[in-house]
């Protein structure tokens, strides 16, 4: 904690009621926050407000506990461990005093109990901000919780890692729809939609399904305060902001192909001991037996990882060349050859569900290129 933050915190300890502690605990557990490098938590006091932050690479969540009248200006890191511990000892009629213990610790004090923790390293990381708002949708919070749970329901009896595929969200014509595609788990697609007050249209992938976890366990009513609004950036923007009663969740747009298969591709190459250079989130380039190979993942109903390599450069297209390429295509099962931009290219398409074969298929491609390269001198 910086000296300025430390002084501001020391001069302005916070009296925090049980309800605020309880809501913070709910949010920490809703996001499954952990005290590791993937998650960051902090309290920010500024402009008369007290705001709790929970953030990861997938989202930035803000819970506005008090929106006016709070003194001081500082940020202090917090921990999921402390949030869970406080609800074990807090009593509904008693505030807990949150204050600076010494230069390296914070203290939470009740009349009969004191909790003290070392202040963790504070790296708030990138805060997601929208470039602009080009589309909005306003919905009932209670119904949103229902349909998000329905959209995220996985195929029954199917084991899968993580939380499943990211949602594809569509806003248009007075409705907001959420699509999930389980094709990668040998299942089909599912879509749920909800009536909404909409302005503009949008289509994007995001981690907004975690809104269901925020809404869960709260009693939602039909009051106006229980509505939830979506503020969506432009197509080339950063993401989507979801605003509820006292909280805001900002999620970056997601490339689902890169998220699911780009990571799998890189993991398999690392496991095979192949060094590579990244070209964005979908593609890498590497050498196999001195042959330059490019691997790039592509989406669709049947996602593929395309392995490609240039056999020769500086060659003009001709009927003779096309005839030779047709012969090569017939003679090499699973490989494809074509001419583009004065180059002859060799390609092998690998089913992403068999990504573990990438090293072997890259080796096969390099062998084919090595064998055919001398023949291209006569083309």
């Amino acid at each position: 904690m910086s000296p300025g933050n430390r002084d501001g915190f020391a001069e302005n300890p916070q009296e925090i009621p049980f309800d605020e502690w309880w809501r913070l605990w709910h949010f920490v557990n809703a996001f499954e926050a952990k005290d590791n490098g993937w998650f960051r938590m902090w309290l920010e006091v500024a402009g008369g407000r007290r705001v709790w932050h929970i953030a990861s690479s997938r989202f930035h969540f803000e819970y506005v506990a008090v929106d006016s009248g709070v003194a001081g200006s500082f940020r202090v890191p917090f921990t999921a461990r402390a949030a869970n511990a406080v609800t074990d000892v807090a009593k509904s009629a008693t505030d807990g005093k949150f204050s600076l213990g010494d230069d390296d610790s914070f203290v939470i004090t009740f009349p009969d109990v004191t909790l003290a923790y070392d202040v963790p390293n504070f790296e708030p990381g990138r805060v997601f901000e929208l470039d602009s708002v080009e589309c909005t949708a306003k919905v009932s919070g209670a119904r949103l919780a229902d349909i998000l749970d329905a959209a995220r329901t996985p195929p029954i009896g199917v084991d899968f890692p993580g939380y499943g595929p990211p949602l594809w969200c569509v806003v248009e014509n007075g409705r907001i729809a959420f699509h999930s595609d389980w094709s990668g788990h040998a299942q089909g697609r599912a879509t749920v939609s909800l009536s909404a007050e909409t302005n503009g249209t949008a289509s994007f992938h995001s981690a907004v399904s975690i809104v269901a976890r925020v809404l869960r366990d709260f009693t939602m009513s039909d009051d106006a305060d229980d509505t939830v609004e979506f503020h969506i950036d432009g197509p080339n923007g950063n993401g989507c902001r979801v605003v509820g009663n006292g909280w805001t969740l900002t999620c970056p747009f997601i490339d689902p192909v890169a998220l699911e298969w780009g990571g799998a591709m890189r993991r398999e190459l690392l496991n095979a001991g192949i060094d590579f250079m990244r070209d964005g989130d979908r593609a890498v380039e590497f050498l196999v037996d001195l042959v330059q190979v490019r691997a790039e993942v592509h989406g669709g109903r049947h996602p593929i990882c395309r392995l490609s390599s240039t056999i020769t450069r500086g060659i003009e297209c001709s009927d003779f060349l096309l005839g030779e390429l047709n012969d090569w295509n017939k003679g090499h099962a699973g490989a494809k050859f074509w001419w583009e931009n004065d180059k002859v290219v060799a390609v092998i398409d690998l089913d992403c569900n068999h990504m573990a074969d990438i090293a072997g298929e890259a080796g096969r491609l390099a062998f084919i290129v090595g064998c055919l390269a001398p023949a291209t001198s006569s083309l």
Side-chain angles (χ1 to χ4, degrees), residues 95-307:
D95 292 352
K97 183 179 180 181
F98 182 46
S99 60
L100 185 69
D102 54 34
D103 286 351
D104 300 313
S105 67
F106 60 78
V107 177
I108 305 168
T109 307
F110 297 93
D112 59 341
V113 174
T114 299
L115 305 173
Y117 295 96
D118 284 346
V119 177
N121 293 329
F122 185 43
E123 296 179 2
R126 175 192 172 200
V127 175
F128 302 113
E129 295 182 355
L130 273 59
D131 294 329
S132 62
V133 176
E134 297 194 7
C135 177
T136 63
K138 187 176 181 180
V139 298
S140 156
R143 297 304 284 160
L144 178 64
D146 292 339
I147 72 161
L148 283 173
D149 276 338
R152 299 305 287 135
T153 300
I156 305 302
V158 176
D159 293 328
F160 60 92
Y163 299 106
L167 287 184
W168 173 33
C169 308
V170 177
V171 178
E172 61 182 355
N173 300 329
R175 300 193 73 82
I176 182 169
F178 301 93
H179 309 268
S180 57
D181 186 352
W182 299 87
S183 300
H185 303 280
Q187 303 295 318
R189 294 170 292 181
T191 301
V192 296
S193 64
L194 176 67
S195 297
E197 297 178 25
T198 63
N199 181 17
T201 62
S203 177
F204 61 97
H205 280 91
S206 183
V208 295
S209 61
I210 54 180
V211 171
R213 291 185 248 162
V214 175
L215 297 174
R216 196 176 298 139
D217 298 332
F218 283 111
T219 302
M220 304 297 294
S221 70
D222 293 328
D223 294 341
D225 285 345
D226 287 335
T227 57
V228 174
E229 296 185 13
F230 289 76
H231 303 160
I232 302 158
D233 216 335
N236 298 317
N238 290 325
C240 175
R241 181 171 61 233
V242 188
V243 182
N245 185 16
W247 56 266
T248 300
L249 174 73
T250 309
C251 298
F253 290 150
I254 289 172
D255 179 345
V257 175
L259 181 69
E260 183 169 9
W261 298 116
M265 171 184 66
R266 292 187 293 271
R267 284 194 300 273
E268 292 298 338
L269 290 172
L270 288 172
N271 290 339
I274 297 176
D275 294 327
F276 57 82
M277 293 189 64
R278 292 181 59 160
D279 183 11
D281 291 330
R282 288 193 177 200
V284 296
E285 295 187 355
F286 52 91
L287 289 175
V288 178
D289 297 330
L290 301 181
V291 174
Q292 184 81 14
V293 176
R294 178 180 175 83
E296 183 171 2
V297 292
H298 298 267
R301 292 284 287 174
H302 303 287
I304 62 167
C305 176
R306 170 156 290 178
L307 303 169

Side-chain angles (χ1 to χ4, degrees), residues 1-70:
M1 189 163 41
S2 68
N5 279 332
R6 184 169 57 242
D7 293 342
F9 186 27
E11 295 168 2
N12 297 279
Q14 302 294 298
E15 296 289 337
I16 299 179
F18 173 81
D19 180 67
E20 183 176 333
W21 287 124
W22 185 85
R23 287 178 68 87
L24 177 63
W25 170 85
H26 165 78
F27 295 136
V28 167
N29 283 272
F31 293 113
E32 299 179 357
K34 298 177 176 62
D35 294 324
N36 60 26
W38 296 104
F39 286 90
R40 299 172 299 280
M41 290 182 60
W42 67 95
L43 171 65
E44 180 178 23
V45 172
R49 304 197 316 162
R50 183 163 67 232
V51 183
W52 296 93
H53 298 258
I54 305 172
S56 77
S57 59
R58 298 173 62 235
F59 66 86
H60 178 202
F61 180 77
E62 301 169 68
Y63 159 41
V64 182
V66 182
D67 60 10
S68 63
V70 179

